[in-house]
Amino acid sequence: MIKRSAGILMHITSLPSPYGIGTIGKAAYDFVDFLKAARMHYWQILPLCPPSEGNSPYSAYSSFAGNPLFIDLDLLIEDGLLKEDEVKPIKWYKKEDKLDYNIVNKERKNIFKLVCSRFDRGDDKYRNFIEDNKSWLLNYAKFMTLSDIHKAKPWYKWKDELKNPDSVKVLKVVEDNYDIYEYHLILQYLFYQQWSQLLNYAHENGIKIIGDLPIYAGLNSSDVYGNQELFKLGDDYMPIEVAGCPPDAYALDGQKWGNPLYDWQYHKKTDYAWWIERIRHNLTLVDVLRIDHFRGFDAYFAIPYDKSAKDGHWQKGPGMDFFDKLKNKLEDIDLIAEDLGYYTPSLKSLLKDSGYPGMRVLEFAFDSRDDHKSDYLPHKYIENTVAYTGTHDNNTLIGWINNAYPGDIKYACDYVGAKNKKELPKLLMKSLWMSKAKLVIVQAQDILGLDGKSRMNIPSVPKGNWSWRAKRDSFAYDLAEKLAYEINLYGRDEDE
């Protein structure tokens, strides 16, 4: 149960660890310490899964696997799987605040091969891990083996004899490349071992982790490859229709995301077994789960695979039937419904009937053309709400202030009593601390006072996203003290 509290949105990649990408090593433990010192109780992250092309964690190779790039090298040294002189050459890149995926992926591949050559495959913990997770793990390792052999070519472009994951040909290819197959098993084991230790440390220090679950699976993923019956695919293995959203003021042509749509009738016949297992599994990794694009359970936009978003249409989702089954199978779970966007009466009913808290984003509140009617204004929040300065898809507060219409900025200044732009970020955050929302999450970039150059993602821009990183010593104790004062002042310390 979420109580009145606060937290920070900070993805693992953004942690200031010394090897080019944030990991679940010392910097992650230090960040838990920072949250504790700031009297916060939640750390929100983006999806933990391994991203596919484009590096977006919302388009991943698996909904169940962990990103191997998060494995900490220093912890591998402590475990005797690496030597210090083997990783020393890659410490601290020139661009400390930017992640270069090409460099990191290339270096990690060589290092992980070395780790796997020294790994004890007969270890009981490793064998038990495989047995406990075989429902998804074996399929993932099979998929990644074939993907590696095909140099990351999507599975639907492989030879037809390899498109059936259970075919004799596929099993033969895996058998002939068992070293690659086991490479992916070992990396998952190492990720899960390190993550469970971090999660335990967070709990020991009163910190809960909020995870993120994209509603859709990526087409080029082990989810779709290994469970083709769950998705609306044609005889050619390609999607009949794909996900997206209709044209609006922000995207005149609409958006075509390309994810295959679920065959909800088939899911219903199975009592949504795959979906429920997906949520259950993710809740073993985190304490609270944000369901991205919650609206898709009420109604989803279907676009013919070979046409544009303008040719799409709305279809009815599974609605409360799904959530009734979910609550019957998984009791007392904490979910957050990402209900942003156009609010229909049916979506409003679904959110109310499910009982999950919805979201409010402060940067959406100050449209000066809206005549003070926005539901995103803090004084309109209900208690069952999770309020954000912005999400991973939004600008930082300072970036928003520097780019918003002058009328919107004047409106925001008048609302919070700011004399000028410089005062605005702090007072905007204060308006969230004061609100009725039971949980407030602020972007790490806003805590650090960073501008738009540090935003995490610009939707529909294909390059340059997901690369922001915090610099060393960003999360200093004096900053934690200032935050702790405000958290206590507005009663957001749930232990009080």
Side-chain angles (χ1 to χ4, degrees):
M1 182 67 68
I2 299 174
K3 300 179 182 178
R4 184 173 174 82
S5 49
I8 294 178
L9 171 58
M10 173 84 167
H11 193 38
I12 307 298
T13 55
S14 300
L15 291 167
S17 55
Y19 298 110
I21 185 172
T23 67
I24 45 184
K26 184 178 184 303
Y29 288 79
D30 289 344
F31 191 65
V32 169
D33 294 341
F34 175 84
L35 289 168
K36 182 179 181 180
R39 303 184 78 162
M40 293 188 171
H41 290 273
Y42 288 91
W43 175 5
Q44 181 164 337
I45 58 176
L46 305 186
L48 286 167
C49 41
S52 58
E53 185 180 359
N55 302 311
S56 169
Y58 294 89
S59 179
Y61 285 129
S62 169
S63 297
F64 295 79
N67 188 348
L69 295 180
F70 295 161
I71 297 170
D72 185 71
L73 303 186
D74 288 330
L75 292 178
L76 294 180
I77 292 173
E78 291 181 14
D79 291 339
L81 294 170
L82 282 175
K83 300 175 183 177
E84 286 191 26
D85 59 356
E86 292 169 337
V87 299
K88 187 176 181 181
I90 65 172
K91 275 199 172 186
W92 296 116
Y93 291 87
K94 290 182 180 179
K95 286 192 175 181
E96 186 184 335
D97 60 344
K98 289 291 180 181
L99 165 56
D100 189 321
Y101 283 96
N102 290 330
I103 292 176
V104 170
N105 276 306
K106 182 178 179 180
E107 290 177 338
R108 287 303 187 281
K109 188 173 184 179
N110 293 328
I111 287 176
F112 288 152
K113 284 182 179 179
L114 191 59
V115 169
C116 290
S117 70
R118 296 168 179 165
F119 185 80
D120 179 9
R121 290 158 173 76
D123 183 89
D124 287 342
K125 290 183 179 179
Y126 171 62
R127 306 313 305 181
N128 290 338
F129 170 77
I130 294 175
E131 178 63 26
D132 293 342
N133 293 278
K134 62 183 180 182
S135 62
W136 66 267
L137 179 60
L138 303 185
N139 180 60
Y140 167 76
K142 181 194 303 180
F143 171 82
M144 293 304 297
T145 300
L146 289 160
S147 180
D148 286 354
I149 292 170
H150 287 86
K151 297 182 179 179
K153 181 191 292 186
W155 70 268
Y156 45 85
K157 294 184 179 181
W158 301 345
K159 292 180 180 179
D160 284 348
E161 60 189 7
L162 298 177
K163 291 178 182 177
N164 178 354
D166 298 320
S167 71
V168 174
K169 182 64 176 177
V170 166
L171 298 177
K172 182 66 168 61
V173 171
V174 171
E175 182 181 344
D176 292 343
N177 295 274
Y178 199 76
D179 56 331
I180 301 176
Y181 178 79
E182 200 156 43
Y183 169 91
H184 290 290
L185 294 178
I186 292 170
L187 292 187
Q188 286 306 302
Y189 171 76
L190 294 173
F191 167 84
Y192 273 80
Q193 287 295 107
Q194 290 192 4
W195 181 258
S196 65
Q197 292 168 8
L198 175 63
L199 187 62
N200 288 338
Y201 184 79
H203 292 167
E204 290 168 359
N205 286 276
I207 305 300
K208 293 181 179 180
I209 295 182
I210 302 174
D212 204 341
L213 187 69
I215 188 172
Y216 293 117
L219 176 57
N220 186 33
S221 69
S222 61
D223 300 308
V224 178
Y225 177 67
N227 304 278
Q228 295 172 30
E229 69 281 2
L230 301 179
F231 302 87
K232 290 185 176 181
L233 304 180
D235 293 336
D236 60 353
Y237 300 94
M238 299 304 294
I240 298 171
E241 293 176 315
V242 296
C245 59
D248 57 22
Y250 298 99
L252 297 180
D253 295 325
Q255 296 181 43
K256 188 176 181 180
W257 302 331
N259 305 82
L261 296 176
Y262 295 106
D263 184 340
W264 282 117
Q265 289 186 341
Y266 184 93
H267 282 271
K268 184 173 183 177
K269 291 177 182 177
T270 68
D271 284 340
Y272 308 100
W274 181 84
W275 251 104
I276 291 172
E277 176 58 20
R278 188 184 185 208
I279 291 176
R280 185 206 65 76
H281 175 81
N282 276 270
L283 283 170
T284 65
L285 299 172
V286 298
D287 303 290
V288 183
L289 199 57
R290 190 192 85 123
I291 305 295
D292 192 46
H293 198 62
F294 183 82
R295 180 180 185 178
F297 291 101
D298 172 50
Y300 58 92
F301 198 66
I303 305 168
Y305 179 73
D306 58 351
K307 295 186 178 182
S308 72
K310 292 181 179 180
D311 299 302
H313 59 282
W314 288 103
Q315 293 189 11
K316 185 174 177 57
M320 270 307 297
D321 184 58
F322 167 72
F323 291 107
D324 286 339
K325 294 291 194 307
L326 177 66
K327 290 182 178 184
N328 184 51
K329 294 288 184 178
L330 304 177
E331 298 180 0
D332 300 324
I333 60 174
D334 283 324
L335 300 182
I336 297 171
E338 188 273 284
D339 59 335
L340 305 176
Y342 183 67
Y343 227 64
T344 63
S346 57
L347 174 59
K348 187 175 181 179
S349 295
L350 180 62
L351 187 67
K352 180 181 178 181
D353 293 343
S354 71
Y356 301 128
M359 288 176 52
R360 291 293 179 266
V361 175
L362 187 60
E363 290 181 16
F364 295 168
F366 303 106
D367 187 336
S368 53
R369 300 165 296 180
D370 201 29
D371 195 27
H372 305 184
K373 294 179 180 179
S374 173
D375 288 333
Y376 293 98
L377 290 165
H379 73 273
K380 292 189 175 183
Y381 297 167
I382 62 172
E383 184 179 357
N384 196 31
T385 297
V386 182
Y388 293 77
T389 50
T391 72
H392 59 275
D393 283 335
N394 303 125
N395 213 329
T396 66
L397 274 180
I398 292 179
W400 173 77
I401 290 166
N402 290 339
N403 290 278
Y405 291 114
D408 296 354
I409 297 303
K410 183 181 184 303
Y411 181 11
C413 286
D414 291 345
Y415 185 85
V416 299
K419 297 176 182 177
N420 50 53
K421 285 185 178 181
K422 189 175 181 180
E423 290 185 351
L424 197 50
K426 182 177 180 180
L427 291 176
L428 284 172
M429 282 189 275
K430 180 180 177 180
S431 72
L432 291 187
W433 306 139
M434 295 172 66
S435 73
K436 286 185 177 180
K438 62 180 176 182
L439 177 58
V440 170
I441 301 291
V442 293
Q443 294 187 86
Q445 297 95 314
D446 295 334
I447 292 294
L448 299 176
L450 300 176
D451 63 20
K453 294 178 182 178
S454 299
R455 70 179 293 176
M456 196 63 169
N457 180 49
I458 303 176
S460 300
V461 174
K463 295 183 179 180
N465 292 319
W466 318 108
S467 62
W468 173 73
R469 298 187 63 218
K471 292 183 178 180
R472 280 174 282 185
D473 304 322
S474 292
F475 301 100
Y477 186 74
D478 60 340
L479 176 58
E481 279 191 315
K482 292 177 183 177
L483 288 170
Y485 173 78
E486 293 193 348
I487 295 301
N488 182 55
L489 184 65
Y490 298 111
R492 291 202 169 274
D493 189 338
E494 63 180 5
D495 288 341
E496 293 298 321

